[in-house]
């Protein structure tokens, strides 16, 4: 996952990579919960954005579990000159505070 658009002082991207042998253990969900809390309290952000590769629907489920909403797709170009439509998600501060 990475930045969806130009960042502002009140918006941040969320990104992670896990080894395959750690998938399905809840690590990403637990980490995201802590990162979201930190982003909206300590860091003072008002919005988080994330995207995931189309071949990784589990990443979309992790985002949804912590309150992200799907906002669309964004074409990402790979080194081999192919293009993939990444799923784009956002979590505004208001939505995050409602989940607490």
């Amino acid at each position: 996952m990475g930045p969806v658009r130009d960042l502002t002082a009140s918006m941040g991207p969320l990104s992670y990579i896990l080894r395959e042998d750690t998938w399905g253990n809840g690590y990403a969900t637990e980490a995201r919960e802590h990162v979201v809390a930190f982003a909206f309290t300590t860091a003072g952000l008002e919005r988080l954005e994330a995207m995931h590769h189309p071949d990784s629907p589990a990443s979309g489920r992790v985002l949804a579990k912590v309150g992200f909403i799907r906002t669309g797709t964004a074409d990402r170009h790979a080194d081999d000159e192919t293009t993939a439509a990444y799923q784009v998600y956002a979590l505004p501060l208001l939505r995050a505070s409602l989940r607490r």
Side-chain angles (χ1 to χ4, degrees):
M1 297 183 191
V4 176
R5 60 183 174 177
D6 292 335
L7 301 179
T8 66
S10 64
M11 182 180 72
L14 230 53
S15 181
Y16 69 91
I17 298 174
L18 295 174
R19 292 188 335 241
E20 276 188 60
D21 63 333
T22 66
W23 294 357
N25 292 306
Y27 300 137
T29 299
E30 183 175 346
R32 289 226 181 245
E33 289 169 355
H34 293 287
V35 169
V36 166
F38 177 86
F40 290 129
T41 57
T42 306
L45 296 179
E46 296 176 4
R47 180 182 176 94
L48 292 173
E49 293 191 355
M51 65 172 66
H52 72 83
H53 191 278
D55 291 342
S56 183
S59 291
R61 290 190 294 274
V62 168
L63 292 168
K65 278 184 187 179
V66 293
F68 279 76
I69 53 172
R70 188 171 172 276
T71 59
T73 59
D75 288 341
R76 297 287 302 251
H77 302 284
D79 292 337
D80 66 0
E81 298 185 22
T82 60
T83 301
Y86 278 60
Q87 304 300 307
V88 179
Y89 293 78
L91 180 64
L93 175 59
L94 175 60
R95 185 163 171 88
S97 63
L98 293 175
R99 293 189 51 84
R100 292 187 187 159

